[in-house]
């Protein structure tokens, strides 16, 4: 898959079972009800993905609009192949996020805090809200590709193969990105935890 401006959902290879295939065939001939169903099926995950990447609900909703406009435009050119349509949607969403990163700074206070903390167990002094805030702030400091790999893997439930396709890298590169991201998160959160413990003594 390529970047947003040239992202073409034309994949010619061994076919996979794509739950969106029937809807896409109907959308290709202008069926707006099928398009509504497709949007309903995917919009929550696309908005959640974009919000975790950008930190802004408003920007995430704008990204979702771009993504589904692209889906409507390209439905007639979709060819079943190795990739599922949902994977392509995430590719388009990621590229839309990248375009916005050139203009906006992520708002770390709005990033989702669903990521499980890399710390073994939070100290009693750190309640769940405080720990969640530290996790989302730490996530926001990761380099773009590391953050994307973490969000795709931990939030979106993508396999490493799907993440590799979305990020346009090898599976080995995804594994490396995840490893570096987890180490960075652990180090940052552990350092903050130790600093806070010293301050409370």
């Amino acid at each position: 898959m390529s970047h947003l401006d040239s992202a073409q959902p034309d994949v010619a290879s061994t076919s996979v079972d794509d739950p969106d295939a029937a809807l896409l065939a109907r959308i290709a001939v202008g069926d707006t009800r099928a398009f509504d169903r497709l949007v309903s099926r995917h919009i929550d995950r696309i908005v959640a993905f974009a919000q975790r990447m950008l930190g802004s609900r408003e920007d995430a909703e704008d990204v979702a609009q771009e993504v589904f406009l692209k889906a409507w435009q390209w439905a007639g050119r979709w060819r079943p192949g190795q990739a599922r349509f949902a994977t392509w949607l995430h590719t388009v969403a990621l590229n839309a996020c990248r375009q916005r990163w050139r203009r906006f700074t992520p708002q770390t206070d709005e990033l989702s805090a669903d990521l499980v903390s890399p710390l073994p167990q939070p100290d009693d002094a750190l309640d769940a809200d405080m720990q969640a805030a530290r996790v989302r702030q730490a996530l926001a400091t990761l380099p773009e590709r590391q953050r994307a790999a973490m969000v795709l893997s931990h939030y979106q439930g993508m396999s490493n193969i799907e993440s590799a396709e979305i990020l346009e890298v090898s599976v080995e590169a995804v594994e490396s990105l995840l490893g570096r991201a987890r180490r960075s998160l652990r180090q940052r959160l552990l350092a903050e935890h130790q600093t806070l413990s010293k301050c409370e003594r």
Side-chain angles (χ1 to χ4, degrees):
M1 299 287 178
S2 55
H3 294 293
L4 181 63
D5 292 339
S6 59
Q8 300 182 12
D10 185 3
V11 182
S13 190
T14 56
S15 62
V16 296
D17 181 21
D18 192 336
D20 295 316
L23 288 177
L24 289 166
R26 291 165 53 190
I27 294 168
V29 295
D31 188 332
T32 57
R33 290 187 178 181
F35 180 69
D36 288 343
R37 286 187 60 189
L38 185 80
V39 172
S40 296
R41 179 178 292 178
H42 294 288
I43 192 166
D44 288 345
R45 282 172 56 79
I46 294 300
V47 169
F49 171 75
Q51 185 171 354
R52 285 162 181 148
M53 296 303 297
L54 296 172
S56 166
R57 178 75 181 188
E58 182 178 356
D59 286 339
E61 290 174 350
D62 288 345
V63 164
Q65 288 183 2
E66 294 177 28
V67 169
F68 288 105
L69 175 59
K70 205 76 165 179
W72 173 263
Q73 293 171 338
W74 284 102
R77 305 186 192 187
W78 179 260
R79 297 293 181 272
Q82 287 184 326
R84 292 176 183 270
F85 193 73
T87 303
W88 181 79
L89 287 178
H90 280 80
T91 302
V92 178
L94 177 60
N95 288 324
C97 289
R98 284 171 172 162
Q99 288 189 346
R100 288 177 179 272
W101 277 328
R102 300 188 185 108
R103 303 191 300 268
F104 302 104
T105 301
Q107 302 170 24
T108 59
D109 61 327
E110 293 181 8
L111 283 171
S112 173
D114 296 336
L115 181 67
V116 176
S117 170
L119 289 176
Q121 288 293 334
D123 189 90
D124 291 340
L126 295 176
D127 62 26
D129 289 339
M130 292 175 64
Q131 183 67 12
R134 287 181 173 84
V135 170
R136 64 174 176 260
Q137 288 170 358
L139 184 63
T141 66
L142 292 176
E144 173 208 310
R145 292 205 302 173
Q146 289 182 30
R147 189 195 316 175
M150 289 293 286
V151 172
L152 288 169
S153 176
H154 289 272
Y155 289 108
Q156 303 301 105
M158 293 287 181
S159 68
N160 285 358
I161 294 175
E162 290 171 318
S163 295
E165 183 163 2
I166 292 167
L167 294 171
E168 298 179 317
V169 298
S170 66
V171 173
E172 291 76 12
V174 169
E175 293 170 351
S176 178
L177 287 169
L178 288 171
R180 295 201 303 272
R182 291 185 184 114
R183 286 193 295 273
S184 294
L185 288 175
R186 288 192 188 98
Q187 291 170 0
R188 181 182 177 90
L189 292 172
L190 182 58
E192 291 184 0
H193 175 69
Q194 291 173 341
T195 298
L196 181 60
S197 297
K198 290 178 181 178
C199 292
E200 291 174 345
R201 290 174 184 172

